[in-house]
Amino acid sequence: MPDAADDVEGAAEGATGARTSRLRRLVAPVWLGALFAFLLVYLGVNLLYGLSTAKPDLPVIDAPDRVVVYLSPIGLTPAEDRIKVNVLVDPPEQLLRDGALTEDLTVHLVTVPKTLSFEAGSRTWGAEIEVIATEGSYERYPLDRYEQVIVLYAATAAPDGSEQVVASDVVIWGKFPGWRVLPTSSRAPLPDGWVLDDATRASLTDMSLAVVTVARSGSTMTIVVLWLTAMVVLTALALVVARAVASRRRRIEATMASWFAALLFAMVPLRTNLPGAPPIGVWIDFLVFLWVILGLMVALAVFIGSWLRFSPPPTPPESSTKLS
């Protein structure tokens, strides 16, 4: 009998050792795969960040006889659809003498509307303006982009006091943190979705036209996607734990309730600290964040209900014996 018991115990130990060996063989590839996936995501995020911080190529216009107006977006207020733009005017050589204007020069931004005037003798030809984007919606964060067509023309003062139109071009270029500016010029084709009819083109004979387009950088969109993915994964884990407790496959640990509550209350600061601080009500709230919060609330409710249903009552205190 002792020999048979020893044989059974040895067989059990052998089976346990075999299972442990199989688990180790399975766990190693999983960890290696997870490490490899993390490295890919890490390198991808850094690559996108590097690309988003690089300055785009400046569109070059070789036109020494034309006024070139450079528009460089430097800021954006999404809630107001306002784009802050630096304007730099590059006059042609025939309007300059010793680096100063020989005539009064005026740049009319028709669609802003705004007029920039530079007197004869001036050596600096720049200004800062605000453009209201006609295309753009903050609710589409982080896929929102803001566009505004810019139509302008340049003119000098004629001897009779009237204006004489000067041939001009417009160049749009620049960058600022969190956003990318699509470089273009009046000689480039219009972006998709912008179509001009023949009558409009005829009215722009002496004018230059280009579209200012500002969109979220790739790094910003990547961070938002990673944060939303983390929120969804944490919610899924909370639901899995709640289900395991409700089905009595795992014992109830009352301290786990604080973990559920901490997850629930941590989601709001994560949401409000997304890049760009988007307002409540953007599309990610309705498609992701709302369901993350509801999922965590359901998980917490299931856990508390399971605790009330399955946890044993407290041990009653022992009755004290009175000494006679």
Side-chain angles (χ1 to χ4, degrees), residues 36-52 218-219 222-223 226:
F36 182 71
F38 170 76
L39 289 176
L40 285 180
V41 173
Y42 179 79
L43 293 176
V45 170
N46 281 272
L47 177 61
L48 285 173
Y49 178 77
L51 293 176
S52 65
S219 59
T222 302
I223 291 174
L226 290 176

Side-chain angles (χ1 to χ4, degrees), residues 68-219:
V68 181
V69 181
Y70 293 91
L71 303 179
S72 300
I74 58 172
L76 176 64
T77 306
E80 300 176 4
D81 295 337
R82 292 180 179 271
I83 307 173
K84 186 181 295 184
V85 180
N86 266 341
V87 182
L88 179 62
V89 180
D90 185 14
E93 291 295 332
Q94 63 265 28
L95 295 180
L96 297 175
R97 182 184 299 120
D98 298 330
L101 282 174
T102 58
E103 304 178 43
D104 293 343
L105 178 63
T106 304
V107 176
H108 298 275
L109 291 95
V110 180
T111 52
V112 175
K114 186 76 173 179
T115 298
L116 306 177
S117 300
F118 307 99
E119 296 180 353
S122 62
R123 297 178 179 272
T124 56
W125 318 291
E128 185 178 296
I129 64 173
E130 279 193 345
V131 175
I132 298 179
T134 56
E135 297 291 333
S137 176
Y138 201 3
E139 289 76 14
R140 296 185 59 204
Y141 172 95
L143 304 177
D144 51 335
R145 55 192 293 154
Y146 303 86
E147 298 179 334
Q148 171 60 38
V149 60
I150 299 294
V151 178
L152 60 83
Y153 68 94
T156 57
D160 59 357
S162 61
E163 286 189 338
Q164 182 177 356
V165 177
V166 181
S168 62
D169 278 304
V170 57
V171 174
I172 296 171
W173 172 86
K175 66 174 292 295
F176 55 100
W179 299 87
R180 59 189 177 95
V181 179
L182 275 62
T184 185
S185 71
S186 52
R187 301 192 180 188
L190 292 177
D192 295 339
W194 291 89
V195 180
L196 300 180
D197 53 31
D198 294 336
T200 304
R201 290 185 180 276
S203 65
L204 300 176
T205 303
D206 298 325
M207 302 182 185
S208 299
L209 181 148
V211 178
V212 175
T213 303
V214 181
R216 301 275 177 182
S217 65
S219 59

Side-chain angles (χ1 to χ4, degrees), residues 3-72:
D3 294 339
D6 292 340
D7 292 342
V8 171
E9 183 177 354
E13 291 179 354
T16 303
R19 285 197 300 269
T20 303
S21 178
R22 285 197 300 270
L23 285 174
R24 287 177 178 174
R25 288 197 300 269
L26 290 174
V27 167
V30 170
W31 279 108
L32 288 176
L35 179 61
F36 182 71
F38 170 76
L39 289 176
L40 285 180
V41 173
Y42 179 79
L43 293 176
V45 170
N46 281 272
L47 177 61
L48 285 173
Y49 178 77
L51 293 176
S52 65
T53 56
K55 286 188 176 181
D57 295 332
L58 175 65
V60 178
I61 294 182
D62 186 13
D65 59 338
R66 301 171 70 90
V67 175
V68 181
V69 181
Y70 293 91
L71 303 179
S72 300

